[in-house]
Amino acid sequence: MSLDQLFVTAHDKLVHLAEAWLPDWTGPWASIAARIGLVAAVAPAIMMYLTLYERKVIARMQNRLGPTRVGRYGLLQPLADGLKMFIKEDLVPEGADRLIHLLGPILAVVPALLLFAVIPFGRNMAAVDLNVGLLYALAVASVGSYAIFMGGWASRSKFSILGAMRSVAQIISYEVPGVLSVVAVIMVTGTLSLVGIVEAQRDGWFIATPWGLVAGVIFFLSGVAEVNRTPFDMPEAESELVGGFHTEYSGMKFALWYMAEFLESFIVCALTVTLFFGGWDGPAVPFWTVAALLALLVATATRLAVPTRAVGALVCLGAGIAFAREPLPSWMWFLAKTYFFFFILVWFRGTFPRLRVDQLMGLAWKFFLPMTLLNILVAGVWVAAPSGVARWLGSATLVAAGYWCFVRLNKPAPLERRTYVLAD
Amino acid sequence: MTTAAVSELLEVNLGPQHPSTHGVFRMQATLDGETIVALKPVVGYLHRNHEQIGEHATYIASFPFTDRLDYFCAMSNNLGLAIAIEKLAGIPVSERGDYLRVIMAELTRLVNHVAVTGFVLNDMGAFGTPLLYAFRERERILDLFEACSGSRMMCNYIRPGGVREDVPEGWLNRARGVVTNFPRFLDEFELLLTDNEIIQQRTRHVGVLPKELAVSASVTGPLLRASGVNYDIRKVDGYSIYPKFPFKVPLGAVGDVYDRYYVRILEMRQSVKILEQALKEIPGGPAISPKGLALVKAPRTFRPPKGDAYGRVEAPKGELGFYLVSDGSPIPYRYHVRAPSFINLTVLEDMCRGQKVADAIIILGSIDIVMGEVDR
């Protein structure tokens, strides 16, 4: 059994088991159930620990410790939060449209879960390898804006409506450059399958090409804007609109909004990794080095009890020895890259103030959009020209020239150098 | 058939329960889309009869109440009332007491300015990071306050004639350490913020307060100086021993939110200079003059002569004045506070009109109000 195909093997064993003991027609159904079950179980778990991850990282940036009280290192904090959300009163404002108020958060979470189906988490590890996977992902992701508007509208609160209006304007604006930047990838790979796109990057990640760099950066930033995270967190701008579209939500419905946001953030990171950073592909690092590092980390974790540390370190070492010959499995690569991008999201949140609505729109329409359009041209050149240094340099020049032009054109009135008088 | 698009104005209540109104403050904003057409500040939610209480208590008994005016700057508030009482009764101040007062007042300025800068950044949507960096420094100064007065925020420390009691042993060295390290923190803070692209875009030419309006609305403090008016009561009145310190008054160029931010940073640098000099030159001797001590020991027998006095200081937020009228009894006949937060707030609508909702929040933050002082 290889570590790389751990989950695939487990799935196959399950299907064989079903076929061996139950009527034949149950095989495919068992396979489907296993995939659905995995997505439905893994996605909320990922979301819960993303909240802890974000809180811990931001706390470090702010000279704090973050959650420490519930479980060691606050590891049980997400469960406590979940429990708290469950037992909170569910308030619906008077005069609100109760049905749509309820549907809003549900409609927000469902697309986020649906997206998990097509993400290739590792070699052979996409729950569904759709041949139009990318199209599916883009289409499903855009449903989220309906949910936000439904929630904002049905709440019957001015803050909610303002937040929802901002949100819809923002998501629609950023979807355009986001989708157009992906067009370049489709042109070069000639496939809409996410698995196919990852496989096309075996010789080099797309981010290392001129068009890939532009598309990658724009895709990631548009994604950040689409999931409403700092510095684009206009729709829920806390300091202005209280909570934006989810001002009037409480209890589990509120938790669902948060879940949708975190899952979508995760998906944005995962898609960026898949499209531009080689997906599950990674340099062949021996697995035992990572296991040894992990063992060291556990052994030196001072806040754990000594027996726990010893057992944890031994388990890690054991895994390292058992799979000593194997490279780091593909799903670990994928998750490591994705969490790195999520770290960047958190980093943004920890450092950047928020842009204003009009500035945000300007960025999308005046800079990202022309840049992606130019990038499609560059990708065309890339596909048509024979490979070599000339192609690389040519397209790099084109991109650099375009960047320079659009920055020049967009430059607001130059910021005056201010002098401050020190009077007596 | 053609239909003209009809747009309606939207009235939004920002506050009194709102994350960025800095207390229980309400802004009744009329919006056209995201643009502010009119904005009416509604105050009074925190009214607690400060002036009436002052007219029913002895002169000294009002000091703890002044702590609660602008609860970030208790020391400056104490100083304002002390100066008013000294003027009323002609009480001299001991030399060491004067130095200690200046040290406390300038430390208060640092506390206030780091806090307000952090809060404005929070209003801009920076998720707490600048604020918490600012608060880390503020804590160090609050520790000093705690060591000398027993309380971190409600200090109740300065008295007519000097200060309540001398600072404990080793306090001055601790203060020197804090003051020496402060510029390093300011550099770090500026590195994160001053040239930040988003901050520049958000704050430049936002909420401009013209010089003339600022003067005619009797705005004071950093808000006025950011508009380019050279008016600092420390220079104008030369109260206490401020003339001994060769500090400068930083002036802004445009009078927008960015200028207010930067003027505060520069003011902190000047305060550090004052503090360094004061901590170096502080003489020995009693912390309070004999006449002041007599008043503090027996407040009920203290009967200032009939008449009135207006004592004012350059509090971190602007001109903080105390007006006292004495009828010869131990209790003031009239006690009035000129609160800078309240008067600076009057120009809010003029600064906000035509700006976006998001700007109104940071404009409010840049005025630097504390509701305890606005509503009294």
Side-chain angles (χ1 to χ4, degrees):
Chain A
M1 190 175 76
S2 88
L3 202 53
D4 190 43
Q5 297 298 307
L6 189 64
F7 296 101
V8 180
T9 323
H11 163 263
D12 290 347
K13 285 237 166 86
L14 185 79
V15 173
H16 284 313
L17 209 65
E19 280 171 344
W21 293 92
L22 297 168
D24 266 1
W25 57 267
T26 49
W29 286 103
S31 169
I32 291 170
R35 287 157 200 249
I36 291 178
L38 198 66
V39 167
V42 165
I46 284 180
M47 175 266 168
M48 286 166 92
Y49 279 90
L50 281 181
T51 60
L52 184 68
Y53 178 66
E54 168 160 42
R55 287 173 70 176
K56 279 286 186 188
V57 172
I58 284 207
R60 282 306 305 147
M61 288 178 187
Q62 299 177 341
N63 301 318
R64 298 186 286 122
L65 290 174
T68 54
R69 313 310 297 177
V70 192
R72 290 279 163 197
Y73 304 102
L75 279 174
L76 297 179
Q77 184 70 40
L79 296 178
D81 289 344
L83 191 67
K84 176 204 151 206
M85 287 297 185
F86 258 119
I87 58 180
K88 269 189 90 163
E89 187 185 354
D90 173 36
L91 291 168
V92 182
E94 203 176 306
D97 191 328
R98 298 187 78 93
L99 180 67
I100 297 183
H101 191 263
L102 170 70
L103 282 181
I106 295 174
L107 196 64
V109 169
V110 169
L113 285 176
L114 287 178
L115 283 170
F116 271 76
V118 289
I119 303 284
F121 285 92
R123 198 168 283 117
N124 307 329
M125 263 179 69
V128 189
D129 179 16
L130 273 186
N131 57 355
V132 288
L134 186 52
L135 198 62
Y136 167 89
L138 294 172
V140 171
S142 62
V143 174
S145 59
Y146 288 101
I148 288 178
F149 200 71
M150 279 164 71
W153 181 261
S155 295
R156 200 158 192 222
S157 144
K158 286 166 182 171
F159 289 122
S160 302
I161 288 186
L162 276 176
M165 285 193 318
R166 283 179 174 192
S167 165
V168 171
Q170 177 181 328
I171 292 179
I172 290 174
S173 304
Y174 275 91
E175 229 158 58
V176 177
V179 171
L180 285 178
S181 62
V182 169
V183 168
V185 178
I186 300 170
M187 283 167 70
V188 172
T189 56
T191 174
L192 279 168
S193 153
L194 289 170
V195 176
I197 289 170
V198 173
E199 275 163 0
Q201 296 181 63
R202 197 159 290 162
D203 305 326
W205 299 352
F206 288 153
I207 196 72
T209 59
W211 61 269
L213 182 67
V214 173
V217 170
I218 292 182
F219 180 79
F220 183 63
L221 291 181
S222 304
V224 175
E226 270 185 64
V227 298
N228 307 326
R229 287 192 59 103
T230 319
F232 308 108
D233 57 342
M234 221 57 48
E236 46 195 285
E238 184 197 81
S239 48
E240 299 147 26
L241 298 179
V242 192
F245 60 86
H246 58 54
T247 307
E248 304 291 349
Y249 279 92
S250 64
M252 253 347 253
K253 289 185 195 164
F254 179 77
L256 285 184
W257 280 120
Y258 253 81
M259 183 159 155
E261 185 188 319
F262 273 93
L263 289 183
E264 279 168 11
S265 310
F266 184 81
I267 294 287
V268 163
C269 299
L271 278 179
T272 311
V273 168
T274 307
L275 296 177
F276 301 101
F277 288 84
W280 70 72
D281 212 13
V285 175
F287 178 70
W288 63 264
T289 53
V290 179
L293 269 177
L294 213 59
L296 194 69
L297 203 69
V298 174
T300 52
T302 45
R303 288 206 52 214
L304 293 176
V306 176
T308 323
R309 278 195 269 163
V311 171
L314 282 178
V315 167
C316 291
L317 277 180
I321 291 164
F323 301 102
R325 298 232 187 116
E326 286 194 40
L328 197 62
S330 54
W331 45 274
M332 275 199 188
W333 266 117
F334 183 83
L335 287 180
K337 287 183 203 169
T338 307
Y339 276 99
F340 172 74
F341 278 94
F342 196 81
F343 170 77
I344 294 184
L345 284 186
V346 176
W347 195 3
F348 281 173
R349 179 135 189 245
T351 37
F352 282 146
R354 182 185 306 129
L355 283 162
R356 211 172 51 209
V357 160
D358 49 328
Q359 295 162 347
L360 195 83
M361 293 296 166
L363 183 67
W365 291 108
K366 293 184 192 162
F367 183 69
F368 281 1
L369 184 63
M371 205 60 206
T372 44
L373 288 175
L374 176 84
N375 199 43
I376 291 175
L377 177 74
V378 176
V381 171
W382 187 270
V383 173
S387 62
V389 182
R391 177 174 81 160
W392 215 95
L393 284 179
S395 46
T397 321
L398 211 54
V399 164
Y403 177 79
W404 187 77
C405 276
F406 295 134
V407 167
R408 290 285 299 216
L409 283 173
N410 271 310
K411 217 169 186 108
L415 292 173
E416 73 279 13
R417 201 80 236 131
R418 290 199 182 167
T419 45
Y420 290 86
V421 185
L422 290 175
D424 284 316
Chain B
M1 196 181 87
T2 56
T3 47
V6 181
S7 71
E8 278 179 47
L9 296 182
L10 181 69
E11 211 167 273
V12 177
N13 266 317
L14 298 164
Q17 301 283 331
H18 189 277
S20 324
T21 48
H22 299 249
V24 276
F25 173 58
R26 180 148 71 105
M27 292 191 283
Q28 240 173 2
T30 311
L31 307 180
D32 180 6
E34 289 260 346
T35 313
I36 291 174
V37 181
L39 186 141
K40 206 174 108 204
V42 183
V43 299
Y45 295 97
L46 204 62
H47 184 64
R48 32 194 215 292
N49 281 320
H50 179 77
E51 292 181 5
Q52 272 294 307
I53 291 172
E55 286 159 19
H56 287 82
T58 58
Y59 288 88
I60 296 297
S62 280
F63 275 97
F65 292 116
T66 60
D67 288 340
R68 276 98 181 147
L69 277 176
D70 171 0
Y71 38 78
F72 278 110
C73 317
M75 292 283 196
S76 310
N77 301 344
N78 292 170
L79 181 59
L81 182 56
I83 285 180
I85 296 174
E86 282 155 15
K87 267 193 186 170
L88 190 66
I91 299 169
V93 187
S94 77
E95 204 189 352
R96 187 175 171 85
D98 249 340
Y99 269 92
L100 284 175
R101 286 168 166 207
V102 166
I103 290 168
M104 297 307 168
E106 293 308 314
L107 284 175
T108 304
R109 199 178 310 281
L110 296 184
V111 167
N112 180 72
H113 284 4
V114 288
V116 67
T117 314
F119 279 130
V120 171
L121 266 300
N122 225 32
D123 291 344
M124 242 181 266
F127 182 72
T129 307
L131 182 67
L132 282 158
Y133 274 69
F135 267 47
R136 182 188 60 189
E137 273 344 272
R138 176 174 172 262
E139 287 301 306
R140 292 197 179 128
I141 298 174
L142 292 191
D143 285 346
L144 289 177
F145 286 170
E146 189 179 16
C148 72
S149 76
S151 175
R152 300 163 73 75
M153 288 174 80
M154 305 293 121
C155 299
N156 183 20
Y157 183 61
I158 293 169
R159 288 286 180 273
V163 298
R164 205 174 64 207
E165 52 199 296
D166 207 341
V167 289
E169 217 179 299
W171 189 91
L172 289 172
N173 271 331
R174 256 178 87 187
R176 278 180 202 118
V178 171
V179 170
T180 324
N181 282 323
F182 200 81
R184 214 176 300 158
F185 154 74
L186 273 182
D187 292 340
E188 181 192 62
F189 205 54
E190 276 205 66
L191 197 67
L192 177 64
L193 303 173
T194 300
D195 289 326
N196 185 318
E197 180 90 19
I198 297 180
I199 290 178
Q200 303 250 351
Q201 282 197 15
R202 284 295 306 274
T203 57
R204 285 209 173 202
H205 300 285
V206 166
V208 176
L209 177 64
K211 230 184 227 188
E212 298 72 30
L213 178 64
V215 173
S216 61
S218 74
V219 164
T220 46
L223 191 59
L224 177 71
R225 290 191 287 275
S227 294
V229 181
N230 184 4
Y231 184 76
D232 186 323
I233 295 164
R234 288 175 295 175
K235 290 281 186 194
V236 176
D237 277 11
Y239 64 90
S240 195
I241 47 164
Y242 275 109
K244 285 187 186 170
F245 302 99
F247 69 97
K248 305 270 189 199
V249 182
L251 300 180
V254 182
D256 54 9
V257 175
Y258 185 80
D259 272 358
R260 277 167 228 151
Y261 154 74
Y262 205 65
V263 160
R264 289 199 175 99
I265 295 273
L266 291 174
E267 266 184 29
M268 280 193 265
R269 292 194 187 279
Q270 296 296 326
S271 287
V272 168
K273 274 187 197 159
I274 298 177
L275 280 167
E276 277 170 350
Q277 191 185 339
L279 285 166
K280 201 166 73 189
E281 292 173 355
I282 182 165
I288 188 165
S289 64
K291 215 172 163 186
L293 192 64
L295 158 60
V296 173
K297 292 274 184 213
R300 292 211 159 266
T301 59
F302 169 66
R303 290 170 190 275
K306 274 189 187 173
D308 61 346
Y310 178 66
R312 58 177 187 172
V313 289
E314 180 68 34
K317 293 181 166 60
E319 175 180 338
L320 175 67
F322 287 88
Y323 180 63
L324 295 171
V325 179
S326 162
D327 56 359
S329 70
I331 288 166
Y333 172 74
R334 179 78 178 99
Y335 168 86
H336 173 70
V337 182
R338 184 218 186 268
S341 290
F342 177 61
I343 290 167
N344 291 354
L345 195 57
T346 53
V347 287
L348 179 65
E349 183 175 10
D350 299 282
M351 290 197 279
C352 288
R353 212 177 286 126
Q355 307 275 2
K356 303 270 186 275
V357 193
D359 294 333
I361 302 289
I362 58 169
I363 291 169
L364 177 69
S366 74
I367 295 178
D368 184 12
I369 59 161
V370 160
M371 290 318 284
E373 195 177 54
V374 174
D375 290 342
R376 299 196 289 294

